[in-house]
Amino acid sequence: MIRALLLSAAALLALPAAAQDVAVVNATLVIGDGSPPIAGGTVVVRGGKIVSAGANIQIPAGIERVDAEGHYVTPGIVAAFSRVGLTEVDAVSGTNDRSAPRTRFSAGLDIAPALNPMGSPIAVNRAAGVTRAIVAPGGSSNLFAGQGAVVDLADDMDMVTRPRALQFVAFGEAGSAKAGGSRAATFLLFREQLLAARSYARNPAALAEWGNDAMIQRADADALIRVIEGATPLFVRVDRAADILNVLKLKGDFPALKLVLVGATEGWMVAREIAAAKVPVLVSPLTDLPGSFERLGATQSNAGRMKAAGIDVSVGVFDDDDAHKMGYATQYAGNLVGLAKMPGASGLSWDQAFASISSAPARAVGMDGEIGSLRPGRVGDVVIWDKDPLELGSRPRAIWIDGKRQPLTTRQDRLRDRYANPVEDAMPNAYDW
Amino acid sequence: MRRRTKGGLLAAVSLALAGCAAAGQDTKSARDAPAPAEKKADRFSKDPYPSTYHAYPGRVTAVRGVTVFDGEGGRIDNGTVVLAEGKVAGIGDADLPIPADAQLIDGTGKFLTPGVIDVHSHLGDYPTPSVDAHSDGNEATSPTTPEVWAEHSVWPQDPGFTRALANGGVTTLQILPGSANLIGGRSVVLKNVPARTVQGMKFPGAPYGLKMACGENPKRVYGGKGRMPSTRMGNFAVDRATWAKAAAYKKKLDAGKAVDRDLAMETLAGVLAGEILVHNHCYRADEMAFVIDMAREFGYKVTAFHHAVEAYKIADLLEKEGICAAMWADWWGFKMEAYDSVPENIALVNRAGACAIVHSDDENQIQRLNQEAAKALAAGRRMGMEISDAQAWSWLSYNPAKALGIADKTGSLKPGKMADVVLWNGNPFSAYTRPEKVWIDGALMFDAMDAKRRPVSDFELGQPGEGDVK
């Protein structure tokens, strides 16, 4: 069996990396936009993009057909908020580029050059069906963490789908720690830094007067101007209900801000206000413990209640492991489906749950025209699953990213195969590869 | 492992040493009474903080038409289980006689299992809210602290206990000291019932455990302070010196010689006498092999390796030595010794005939250990292993009960054993399934269909979300 597995791994590695035109037929087809699965569906990918998907789709002549044999076929999972590609082994600092606690810069930081497309977490997350990720920096020495990116998890060196796709900042307890010790300091520092950026924009010559101890550096100002103008969405980590309301009020001073709430553990308590502000929310949905005093209202029903209030809710994996286990997204979404059946609890329908890990995060970062669903014109990120993708232990049978067939073998698979029979035979295990 | 060693926060093994410099060294307890010497080494009371747990009132209950996993690999479709007087009174098919006074529960479409047992939890000693004032899991002031007892750190009002019950169906759990130290101290086994005191939760008759740790954590914590150990060889040297001292202490005790009471040595002598079970945090295969030899060198036995990320590399050795491995389904990459994780680890240990356990070490995953087992099961099946759902349930109840020395009392649905039982609203290996009812010693401690049958800890009383579904 080991030999057979190795051979199949070698075959996968030998796949051409060019975009293929392909039609996946006979699928239980999930578009990812919240619509129900389509039995006997087809999705057509040409030139790396989705051309059409649904029932009764015309298949272009001469195109490769892949029979899904009735299995679920979906867009790839979009990790809603993550550090994928920024770390290999968290405790090995040389491999860990999540945060830059000793830099002089903040908002100007751009994670793109820190991403490692060859890191083993890319392959492991891909093998769990994750094809895109919204990646945010962890933090700087200052209030703003810097600019994140939207990335793909393909087996190639070209990882960045959209650089500088978001700016990240934490309010609440984490923000207080950065700003000098209180929430009052956080809100003032936030406002002063944006005003400094604006004054720089109006009079760049003033930069000469800013020293290294200035409130922000030039690169930070450049990045913050884009935030003020709404060109870059501002992802805000915030949990306490009162903090959420105060963050929503930031639009009073800076009306063009494109806010996205991250965490929002007590969001259900102020769901009406979030919905009225039309601000999307990314949650790590199984957070149900009062881990801090800003999360006293934590409940797994948070996502369902906010969704019911009309909020655009995305499901992510970030209060536990935000870099290695993006495959938990499907598990978490599945939990919300189960929760919907419980008396007094709120969850999501299956269709909503799948959308919360595909099109919803794409929309939150302003890219639902490009990624996150099988609607025409989106990237050709397609997954054939072995069973219901929201069920435990479901795995992709095949994955395309930008229309390119992807290898599914991971370093973990190689270790498993080497030790399928751990006893050393004629030669040590080291020769088994 | 501990939350503080995840996510790049490695350095922060908390050192909040609020006031109390060393473990209380009081020497005499009113309960100290001479106990009959069995294997000796028991000059002092072995149970100075005895359990005051008692079963809560329960009704005679019969669940019918239910799919049963008995916890030892057995499955009954359309089964019947009767609970009476806190015990499993009967288990069988549709023909099992039902007492006339039994409350009947229709289990159609539902599953009945033994309660989940987590052998690795820090609920209570690292409770939520996770504020410094609550950080009581690691006495990280000395690399060996066998004198500390986790029960003295447990805060029974930790809201995490209620979540583990309601969302996880956890009925029994072992609270361990953290892994900063080579020898972290004694564990305590608890029934997952709300109580005013820790004694009110203590599992009657459960043996104590001793938490040990190898690898990165001890050498990082103490090496970082410029003291021994700073290397893996330092880890073993300190361990061996400590065991040598303990062996000498026990020899004196056994010979009836006078000894100054030494709480650390007392615990270690209890291990050498086979009364206290060793739970050894250890990730790497090569280190586990050395620990096995070290245990042989000093005459003790390792009951379970915890985390055991590389157990699959030595599954045959674990089987041969009769050592359990308590594992995660898929945690990896947070530190170097967790780099070689494979999703098939649990299934490979199971296949080798060794005792496989799914553990949490986490206040969140303890709420869905059934789901973690499901992922491990799926990984094993993808590799071609034939593992039944019922067999996989042994990873969650019977095997952990064995590792805690309580398999004669709980962990499977055998007549006469404690009625620690969960009724799931579907197959518990599905993401769509939740616990519907949880009984502990036959008392209904959680009922998803009854909002009042949901514990609210003191901490959450009067707070936002009090009594909410969680």
Side-chain angles (χ1 to χ4, degrees):
Chain A
M1 185 179 70
I2 299 173
R3 198 164 299 276
L5 283 166
L6 285 178
L7 280 175
S8 67
L12 281 169
L13 288 170
L15 282 170
Q20 303 153 287
D21 293 346
V22 64
V24 180
V25 303
N26 193 17
T28 300
L29 189 70
V30 177
I31 302 296
D33 58 0
S35 58
I38 300 162
T42 297
V43 54
V44 177
V45 181
R46 300 198 86 166
K49 305 273 190 202
I50 306 293
V51 174
S52 53
N56 308 314
I57 295 291
Q58 197 88 42
I59 299 173
I63 196 170
E64 182 197 1
R65 284 173 183 240
V66 173
D67 188 345
E69 298 169 349
H71 287 102
Y72 279 87
V73 174
T74 73
I77 306 304
V78 179
F81 186 80
S82 76
R83 269 87 198 199
V84 174
L86 291 181
T87 179
E88 177 79 23
V89 180
D90 296 325
V92 177
S93 60
T95 75
N96 187 337
D97 288 310
R98 293 160 178 270
S99 298
R102 291 177 301 282
T103 179
R104 175 194 305 158
F105 300 96
S106 57
L109 293 166
D110 174 358
I111 61 149
L115 295 164
N116 179 16
M118 294 293 109
S120 66
I122 303 298
V124 170
N125 288 318
R126 178 174 67 235
V130 180
T131 60
R132 303 274 159 175
I134 299 170
V135 185
S140 69
S141 62
N142 207 314
L143 186 58
F144 289 93
Q147 300 164 99
V150 175
V151 305
D152 72 58
L153 276 65
D155 183 39
D156 58 44
M157 298 302 282
D158 179 20
M159 189 167 175
V160 178
T161 309
R162 177 180 287 177
R164 299 176 296 283
L166 64 103
Q167 177 67 235
F168 182 54
V169 65
F171 277 75
E173 293 183 11
S176 296
K178 293 285 186 192
S182 79
R183 285 173 170 81
T186 311
F187 279 88
L188 182 58
L189 186 60
F190 178 89
R191 181 182 157 80
E192 288 298 309
Q193 293 201 344
L194 290 196
L195 292 178
R198 184 183 278 165
S199 72
Y200 157 73
R202 285 173 184 160
N203 179 20
L207 177 65
E209 298 161 22
W210 295 10
N212 281 342
D213 55 349
M215 182 173 292
I216 52 173
Q217 308 296 314
R218 182 198 52 78
D220 303 327
D222 284 341
L224 289 180
I225 289 160
R226 292 172 51 79
V227 171
I228 295 170
E229 291 170 346
T232 304
L234 180 65
F235 282 45
V236 182
R237 175 77 211 215
V238 61
D239 290 290
R240 190 165 84 177
D243 290 345
I244 292 171
L245 293 179
N246 285 316
V247 165
L248 294 178
K249 284 182 197 155
L250 295 173
K251 289 177 88 164
D253 283 344
F254 304 99
L257 281 185
K258 248 192 213 130
L259 293 174
V260 177
L261 303 185
V262 179
T265 303
E266 294 188 342
W268 64 273
M269 294 163 62
V270 289
R272 210 161 28 118
E273 290 85 348
I274 300 171
K278 295 189 173 17
V279 170
V281 175
L282 315 181
V283 297
S284 197
L286 302 189
T287 301
D288 65 357
L289 281 164
S292 60
F293 275 83
E294 59 189 1
R295 301 185 189 182
L296 294 179
T299 168
Q300 294 184 20
S301 288
N302 188 32
R305 288 174 187 169
M306 288 197 291
K307 182 75 184 171
I311 299 169
D312 196 2
V313 176
S314 299
V315 163
V317 181
F318 51 81
D319 275 346
D320 26 33
D321 186 326
D322 54 12
H324 297 90
K325 299 186 302 199
M326 296 300 102
Y328 277 42
T330 47
Q331 180 183 356
Y332 286 7
N335 270 260
L336 297 181
V337 177
L339 207 57
K341 292 184 294 192
M342 300 308 291
S346 298
L348 300 178
S349 70
W350 195 98
D351 303 335
Q352 290 173 334
F354 195 90
S356 77
I357 56 174
S358 54
S359 59
R363 197 160 45 243
V365 76
M367 291 189 70
D368 55 327
E370 288 94 346
I371 64 172
S373 78
L374 298 184
R375 295 173 65 193
R378 274 63 176 180
V379 294
D381 292 5
V382 180
V383 181
I384 306 178
W385 299 84
D386 60 358
K387 57 180 180 177
D388 174 353
L390 302 190
E391 261 298 7
L392 301 164
S394 57
R395 298 293 284 187
R397 294 156 58 99
I399 297 181
W400 291 262
I401 295 178
D402 287 321
K404 294 173 198 153
R405 185 81 179 256
Q406 297 295 316
L408 294 177
T409 303
T410 66
R411 182 175 175 276
Q412 298 181 343
D413 295 337
R414 304 297 309 282
L415 282 161
R416 171 201 65 201
D417 293 346
R418 169 172 281 185
Y419 288 96
N421 173 19
V423 179
E424 291 177 309
D425 301 321
M427 290 287 277
N429 292 330
Y431 293 85
D432 185 4
W433 57 279
Chain B
M1 242 303 297
R2 188 41 229 156
R3 80 169 74 87
R4 272 156 232 282
T5 63
K6 264 199 294 182
L9 299 176
L10 269 278
V13 171
S14 178
L15 297 177
L17 303 173
C20 163
Q25 303 277 328
D26 79 293
T27 48
K28 260 303 195 207
S29 149
R31 286 200 187 81
D32 277 0
E38 197 179 50
K39 291 184 74 180
K40 303 195 175 172
D42 55 355
R43 187 83 47 89
F44 308 100
S45 168
K46 290 179 186 170
D47 192 20
Y49 310 95
S51 170
T52 58
Y53 169 81
H54 61 85
Y56 288 84
R59 293 184 55 178
V60 179
T61 301
V63 185
R64 297 189 297 184
V66 74
T67 305
V68 181
F69 299 154
D70 72 4
E72 294 187 39
R75 173 185 178 128
I76 305 169
D77 291 304
N78 192 20
T80 306
V81 173
V82 178
L83 316 178
E85 293 173 2
K87 307 288 184 199
V88 177
I91 172 169
D93 59 19
D95 298 330
L96 187 79
I98 292 171
D101 58 342
Q103 178 187 22
L104 301 179
I105 293 174
D106 179 10
T108 307
K110 301 173 183 176
F111 284 64
L112 197 78
T113 69
V116 174
I117 299 176
D118 189 3
V119 296
H120 196 121
S121 173
H122 296 287
L123 290 180
D125 67 17
Y126 280 120
T128 51
S130 310
V131 295
D132 286 346
H134 277 167
S135 179
D136 289 319
N138 273 305
E139 184 54 45
T141 50
S142 164
T144 63
T145 54
E147 66 272 32
V148 308
W149 296 25
E151 64 199 65
H152 298 143
S153 274
V154 169
W155 182 44
Q157 299 300 338
D158 183 354
F161 289 117
T162 69
R163 309 295 195 273
L165 176 76
N167 294 337
V170 172
T171 54
T172 297
L173 65 175
Q174 174 171 240
I175 312 301
L176 292 154
S179 54
N181 298 351
L182 295 163
I183 301 177
R186 287 199 199 197
S187 68
V188 63
V189 180
L190 303 176
K191 285 265 181 179
N192 193 14
V193 296
R196 291 178 296 162
T197 64
V198 177
Q199 293 92 320
M201 302 172 78
K202 282 176 78 170
F203 193 113
Y208 277 107
L210 178 70
K211 171 70 178 289
M212 294 187 66
C214 46
E216 292 182 30
N217 289 9
K219 80 187 187 97
R220 184 186 65 249
V221 170
Y222 294 97
K225 298 175 183 181
R227 60 181 291 192
M228 198 171 180
S230 69
T231 59
R232 283 183 162 85
M233 59 188 172
N235 284 352
F236 275 89
V238 174
D239 273 336
R240 294 177 73 216
T242 308
W243 283 120
K245 198 174 156 202
Y249 182 87
K250 179 169 182 288
K251 204 169 163 188
K252 272 193 194 169
L253 278 183
D254 289 351
K257 292 187 183 160
V259 291
D260 289 335
R261 190 167 188 197
D262 183 324
L263 296 176
M265 291 300 124
E266 240 170 66
T267 289
L268 297 181
V271 172
L272 295 173
E275 296 160 355
I276 296 174
L277 310 178
V278 172
H279 294 273
N280 206 136
H281 153 125
C282 212
Y283 286 72
R284 257 171 40 183
D286 52 322
E287 282 185 292
M288 288 188 268
F290 267 133
V291 168
I292 290 169
D293 279 351
M294 177 169 67
R296 193 168 287 123
E297 179 184 11
F298 292 98
Y300 69 92
K301 179 173 163 44
V302 177
T303 295
F305 284 116
H306 290 227
H307 312 333
V309 158
E310 295 186 3
Y312 68 98
K313 296 185 184 179
I314 51 160
D316 53 332
L317 184 58
L318 297 174
E319 189 278 331
K320 188 170 105 219
E321 298 288 334
I323 299 174
C324 296
M327 298 160 280
W328 299 292
D330 53 16
W331 290 26
W332 76 285
F334 44 94
K335 54 180 167 172
M336 203 58 221
E337 61 193 2
Y339 195 51
D340 280 5
S341 165
V342 304
E344 295 81 2
N345 195 27
I346 292 167
L348 284 166
V349 168
N350 180 76
R351 192 189 64 176
C355 160
I357 294 169
V358 184
H359 75 347
S360 80
D361 188 18
D362 185 84
E363 66 276 26
N364 294 305
Q365 283 203 348
I366 194 174
Q367 301 180 43
R368 42 191 169 273
L369 284 172
N370 55 310
Q371 297 185 18
E372 299 309 301
K375 290 187 287 183
L377 176 59
R381 286 175 177 164
R382 268 199 309 280
M383 199 181 162
M385 290 179 223
E386 287 182 16
I387 309 166
S388 70
D389 285 359
Q391 191 184 353
W393 200 268
S394 69
W395 306 342
L396 296 165
S397 65
Y398 191 64
N399 289 354
K402 278 199 292 187
L404 297 179
I406 52 175
D408 57 331
K409 302 179 177 72
T410 188
S412 62
L413 301 179
K414 298 291 177 188
K417 290 178 95 168
M418 292 167 165
D420 297 341
V421 182
V422 183
L423 179 67
W424 305 84
N425 68 357
N427 187 323
F429 292 130
S430 164
Y432 308 138
T433 295
R434 312 278 299 192
E436 187 175 303
K437 292 179 169 51
V438 184
W439 293 268
I440 298 179
D441 282 307
L444 185 62
M445 302 307 286
F446 172 73
D447 186 350
M449 319 312 277
D450 175 3
K452 281 293 184 183
R453 195 66 73 151
R454 186 186 296 150
V456 175
S457 81
D458 290 358
F459 177 75
E460 296 198 282
L461 203 61
Q463 303 274 24
E466 168 193 343
D468 199 358
V469 289
K470 293 293 182 182

